Amino acid sequence: MEIREKVFVVTGAGNGIGREVTLGLLARGARVAAVDLSKAGLDETAELALAGERLTIHPLDITDRTAVMALPAAVTDAHGQVDGLINVAGIIHSFTPIGALSFDDIERVMAVNFWGTVNTTKVFLPLLEARPASSLVNVGSMGSLVPFPGQGAYGASKAAVKLFT
């Protein structure tokens, strides 16, 4: 897929891998709607990108389905179309056995890593399917393939993303 002038939505764009994906797409001439929980992180990504109107920032909690449902309209208003969705956003929990994690800790990891991916995929899929060519990338982890001690909930969340995809 030629990415110049294509529009990509990138979750987790406020830092780490999501930021690097965003900067890489912009460097190759794409337009990006950067999504992250942290507005400060998104502002820093925008400062690094120096991409002008080719980059829009969308502070958003991907676990908030109502907010996510409004995102496609915001992106198409800003960019006119959506050619790709790259779900990078994810969190880990402390390196702790499941028995020592609270239900809230486990639910938060599942909410961000799995349900956040489901939320964004579901709302953008109709736009992606309507394009002549489009891409959907859901970032998993080696933790979905090989269990890591103390990362049971994280591994389960990424295995769920893998099978969902």
Side-chain angles (χ1 to χ4, degrees):
M1 175 182 200
E2 172 60 44
I3 64 171
R4 182 168 297 286
E5 296 304 317
K6 301 293 186 202
V7 178
F8 294 88
V9 177
V10 179
T11 69
N15 64 50
I17 296 169
R19 176 179 284 161
E20 292 305 316
V21 167
T22 297
L23 296 174
L25 288 167
L26 291 165
R28 289 165 181 81
R31 301 175 65 85
V32 177
V35 178
D36 200 280
L37 183 61
S38 169
K39 177 156 182 342
L42 289 171
D43 288 342
E44 189 174 313
T45 298
E47 285 178 30
L48 293 168
L50 299 172
E53 53 87 28
R54 289 189 306 117
L55 174 68
T56 57
I57 62 169
H58 305 267
L60 179 76
D61 180 349
I62 60 171
T63 69
D64 179 348
R65 189 170 295 138
T66 301
V68 172
M69 290 175 78
L71 188 57
V75 174
T76 55
D77 284 351
H79 297 282
Q81 67 198 43
V82 176
D83 300 292
L85 169 63
I86 305 173
N87 283 307
V88 180
I91 61 171
I92 63 170
H93 56 80
S94 61
F95 281 81
T96 306
I98 290 292
L101 289 174
S102 70
F103 282 106
D104 287 344
D105 290 336
I106 296 167
E107 288 173 354
R108 179 74 181 140
V109 169
M110 290 301 295
V112 173
N113 296 356
F114 177 65
W115 285 109
T117 298
V118 170
N119 292 342
T120 56
T121 298
K122 286 282 289 172
V123 301
F124 280 103
L125 199 54
L127 294 175
L128 296 174
E129 290 177 330
R131 300 295 298 154
S134 63
S135 297
L136 170 63
V137 177
N138 293 330
V139 175
S141 168
M142 285 300 296
S144 72
L145 302 170
V146 178
F148 288 91
Q151 284 295 293
Y154 173 79
S157 72
K158 290 301 189 171
V161 167
K162 180 180 77 160
L163 293 176
F164 172 72
T165 304

